[in-house]
């Protein structure tokens, strides 16, 4: 069949040069006669991979010197539990509810009996989310330990175009689906976490970026593997980390640097979003976007067709045209195209061309 244009929401597309380099190095990494998967996590070759990945991440993302980078397992879902465990042993945390993953983060704080406040919610009566809140809607407790937001909502196709002003309250950002998609300001960002499998690498590893002063607020007496201090103190090597996933993160960061860094990636993402959302504006009665324009996501574009039968036909015919991963999330239905960093402008143009043809045949 050959390679398709992959619009899956995650695990998702990886840059072709990354896959090719991984293939070339798979059997014999760096002249060692074995795969990086076979190396000890404490061997010098993997330690170099780990160090290089963090150095590249700092350079590509512009991470200030007062932040630590650690690698964890368990996806963002585990971070939902670790955050209240580590930071809400005293005081209260603020959460903004904008979708499924924000709801799950709040649920974990509730399970642990921690104090928290919903600073804003955009949940509608039908359970859907069509936007993120405006700054004026946020009711932030000035004494909160943190303000938690999900910067991009994969299921509902909404994304923050700004980072909230939160005074002295540090931001904790779940950036699982839009990390590295555009330049960001680290001002007042206490922590970022992201499952790598959308924009930064494969599934199996979660990146956590912690500001130094956040480490001073950690709860004492936690189980060893549940404390962020363990990961920082042991350079993510207290136990065996997902070595092949970290290696692939390094390759993705090398690719990002080689193509011109985040400035170039941001230009591509802007172009891709304008192309695809342009189809909604051109055929508004056929391709109906599900989000308010001001909250439209660059990463996950969601829409409906006039009826579900047409949606099923659209997905099936798109697959035949080598356009994969377009079925909407099971909770909301419809169509979803994920435009993560590795999705090319060429791929989005192919999708738009298919949409033109599909409209002509089915209007």
């Amino acid at each position: 069949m050959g390679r398709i244009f992959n619009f899956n929401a995650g695990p998702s597309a990886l840059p072709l040069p990354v896959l090719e380099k991984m293939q070339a190095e798979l059997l014999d990494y760096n002249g060692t006669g074995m795969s990086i998967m076979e190396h000890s996590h404490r061997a010098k070759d993997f330690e170099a991979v780990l160090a290089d990945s963090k150095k590249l991440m700092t350079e590509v993302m512009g991470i200030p010197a007062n932040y630590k980078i650690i690698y964890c397992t368990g996806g963002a879902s585990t971070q939902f539990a670790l955050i209240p465990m580590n930071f809400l042993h005293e005081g209260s945390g603020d959460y903004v509810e904008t979708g499924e993953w924000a709801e799950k983060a709040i649920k974990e704080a509730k399970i642990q009996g921690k104090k928290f406040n919903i600073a804003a919610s955009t949940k509608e009566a039908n359970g859907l989310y069509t936007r993120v809140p405006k700054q004026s809607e946020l009711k932030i407790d000035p004494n909160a330990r943190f303000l938690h937001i999900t910067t991009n909502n994969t299921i509902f196709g909404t994304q923050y175009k700004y980072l909230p002003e939160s005074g002295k309250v540090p931001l904790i950002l779940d950036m699982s689906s839009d990390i590295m998609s555009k330049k960001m300001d680290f001002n007042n960002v206490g922590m970022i976490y992201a499952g790598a499998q959308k924009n930064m690498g494969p599934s199996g590893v979660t990146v956590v970026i912690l500001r130094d002063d956040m480490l001073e607020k950690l709860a004492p007496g936690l189980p060893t593997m549940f404390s962020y201090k363990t990961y920082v103190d042991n350079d993510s090597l207290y136990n065996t980390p997902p070595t092949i996933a970290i290696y692939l993160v390094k390759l993705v960061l090398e690719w990002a640097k080689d193509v011109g860094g985040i400035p170039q990636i941001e230009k591509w993402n802007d172009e891709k979003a304008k192309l695809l959302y342009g189809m909604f504006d051109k055929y508004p009665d056929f391709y109906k976007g599900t989000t308010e324009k001001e909250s439209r996501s660059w990463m996950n574009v969601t829409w409906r067709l006039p009826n579900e039968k047409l949606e099923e036909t659209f997905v099936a015919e798109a697959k035949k045209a080598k356009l994969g991963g377009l079925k909407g999330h099971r909770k909301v239905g419809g169509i979803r195209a994920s435009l993560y960093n590795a999705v090319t402008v060429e791929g989005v143009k192919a999708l738009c061309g298919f949409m033109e043809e599909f409209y002509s045949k089915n209007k």
Side-chain angles (χ1 to χ4, degrees), residues 57 60-61 63 69 71 151-152 159 173-184 186 191-201 205-209 249 252-253 255-256 262 265 269 299-300 339-342:
M57 197 181 303
V60 170
M61 290 185 61
I63 301 172
I69 299 169
Y71 289 108
T151 54
N152 183 75
Q159 184 181 27
L173 310 177
D174 176 359
M175 299 191 73
S176 291
S177 51
D178 63 351
I179 195 168
M180 285 177 54
S181 63
K182 59 183 177 179
K183 185 178 180 181
M184 69 171 292
F186 280 82
M191 174 177 166
I192 294 169
Y193 65 100
Q197 67 272 11
K198 302 178 191 301
N199 262 345
M200 193 176 265
V205 67
T206 304
V207 173
V208 176
I209 304 168
V249 168
V252 171
L253 289 163
W255 167 81
I262 288 181
I265 289 171
N269 287 336
M299 299 285 97
N300 308 99
L339 309 184
Y340 300 127
N341 293 348

Side-chain angles (χ1 to χ4, degrees), residues 277-289 293 296 303-306 359:
Y277 283 117
M279 300 302 294
F280 300 2
D281 299 332
K282 188 174 183 179
Y283 305 114
D285 294 327
F286 193 79
Y287 296 120
K288 302 176 183 179
K293 283 190 175 184
R296 282 176 170 176
W303 69 95
R304 303 302 303 251
L305 272 64
Y359 171 77

